[in-house]
């Protein structure tokens, strides 16, 4: 993942049949993808700025080890980086060029965790129960872990009644939905039932769900939140009344309208 530390292990071996001297390798980090953190060698010295590993002498059958710890750079999600080590010098003639270099490639993980939100009735009455449905999907290309969303109900407009999740857990008091891991293409569903508060007629309330955490780099912020708005119904039922004659005689017919 971006920001993760990785360890490169490089082993140089003299396959003989004679002793080798003046052995040098070059192993320069792909600095556009990783940053050197620390290194250690079983013999010789390593200079990370130019990648030069001064191994020195290797007896027939002898080996030396270079270990380099690096950190994956930010803004590298979905990209691949290859680190190549190459034999740059040896005093004796090397009879096998086929094993004089080696490489290791990393592919930095990337995910696109998106969310949608729907409400069962966008124009409910006061006191009516409504259902919010939130669907989280990992659009890949890699698996996602540590996925968390925040979905806090607008308590001035609705009151939480019940909730259920297809995975993880939801805490209505702070709106935190701990989703956890989502495979590439995987989804999770949160269903929240709420009741519309009294004294809300004619008012609108928006409920927003937002991605609050994921271990991997999310490559598409455009689908990291979703909203559903309700407008509570309001009416103004009025009445008028008139009479055809407000000073009628006894026995006279009058008409109320």
């Amino acid at each position: 993942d971006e920001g993760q530390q990785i360890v490169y292990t490089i082993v140089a071996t003299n396959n003989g049949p004679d002793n080798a001297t003046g052995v040098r390798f070059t192993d320069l980090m792909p600095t556009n993808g990783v940053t050197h953190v620390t290194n250690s060698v079983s013999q010789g010295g390593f200079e990370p700025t130019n990648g030069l590993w001064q191994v020195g002498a290797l007896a027939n059958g002898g080996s030396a080890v270079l270990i380099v710890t690096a950190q994956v750079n930010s803004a590298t999600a979905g990209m691949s980086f290859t680190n190549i080590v190459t034999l740059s010098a040896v005093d004796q003639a090397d009879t096998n060029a086929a094993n004089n270099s080696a490489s290791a490639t990393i592919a930095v993980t990337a995910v696109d965790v998106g969310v949608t939100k729907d409400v069962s009735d966008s124009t409910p009455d006061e006191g009516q129960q409504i259902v919010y449905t939130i669907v989280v999907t990992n659009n890949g290309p890699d698996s996602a872990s540590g996925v968390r969303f925040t979905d806090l109900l607008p308590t001035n407009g609705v009151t939480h009644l019940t909730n259920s999740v297809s995975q993880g857990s939801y805490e209505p008091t702070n709106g935190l939905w701990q989703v956890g891991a989502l495979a590439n293409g995987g989804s999770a569903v949160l269903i929240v039932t709420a009741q519309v508060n009294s004294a809300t007629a004619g008012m609108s309330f928006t409920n927003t769900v937002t991605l609050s955490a994921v271990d991997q780099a999310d490559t598409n912020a455009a689908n990291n939140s979703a909203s559903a708005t309700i407008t509570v119904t309001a009416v103004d039922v009025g009445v008028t009344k008139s009479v055809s004659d407000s000073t009628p005689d006894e026995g006279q017919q009058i008409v109320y309208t």
Side-chain angles (χ1 to χ4, degrees):
D1 301 332
E2 287 186 8
Q4 181 179 333
Q5 288 193 357
I6 57 175
V7 178
Y8 293 104
T9 302
I10 304 97
V11 180
T13 303
N14 177 16
N15 298 302
D18 297 309
N19 296 334
T21 57
V23 177
R24 294 197 302 273
F25 282 88
T26 300
D27 184 5
L28 195 58
M29 299 280 104
T31 54
N32 58 333
V34 298
T35 299
H36 176 274
V37 177
T38 61
N39 63 263
S40 64
V41 291
S42 64
Q43 73 176 66
F46 177 70
E47 176 48 58
T49 57
N50 60 15
L52 186 60
W53 179 19
Q54 298 273 10
V55 179
L58 281 176
N60 178 15
S63 295
V65 180
L66 164 63
I67 296 175
V68 178
T69 301
Q71 186 169 39
V72 180
N73 295 344
S74 60
T76 56
M79 303 171 68
S80 295
F81 303 94
T82 299
N83 183 10
I84 301 173
V85 57
T86 304
L87 177 67
S88 52
V90 59
D91 293 340
Q92 293 72 31
D94 187 278
T95 59
N96 182 13
N99 63 359
N100 285 355
S101 65
S103 62
T105 299
I106 62 169
V108 185
T109 56
V111 297
D112 174 12
V113 178
V115 62
T116 61
K117 186 179 191 109
D118 295 307
V119 64
S120 58
D121 189 345
S122 60
T123 56
D125 301 327
E126 288 186 9
Q128 181 180 329
Q129 290 188 7
I130 56 175
V131 179
Y132 293 103
T133 302
I134 304 96
V135 180
V136 172
T137 303
N138 176 18
N139 300 300
D142 297 305
S143 297
S145 59
V147 178
R148 296 197 300 273
F149 278 83
T150 301
D151 184 4
L152 194 58
L153 294 184
T155 54
N156 57 334
V158 298
T159 299
H160 174 274
L161 295 179
T162 63
N163 63 263
S164 63
V165 291
S166 64
Q167 75 174 66
S169 62
Y170 176 70
E171 176 48 59
T173 56
N174 59 17
L176 186 60
W177 180 18
Q178 298 272 11
V179 180
L182 282 175
N184 178 14
S187 294
V189 181
L190 165 63
I191 295 175
V192 178
T193 301
Q195 187 171 38
V196 180
N197 295 346
S198 60
T200 56
M203 301 172 67
S204 295
F205 303 94
T206 299
N207 183 9
T208 302
V209 56
T210 304
L211 177 68
S212 51
V214 58
D215 292 339
Q216 294 70 31
D218 186 281
T219 57
N220 181 16
N223 61 2
N224 286 354
S225 65
S227 299
T229 299
I230 62 168
T231 301
V232 185
T233 56
V235 296
D236 178 10
V237 179
V239 64
T240 63
K241 184 167 188 170
S242 63
V243 63
S244 58
D245 190 343
S246 62
T247 58
D249 299 328
E250 289 184 6
Q252 181 182 332
Q253 290 187 354
I254 57 175
V255 179
Y256 292 102
T257 302

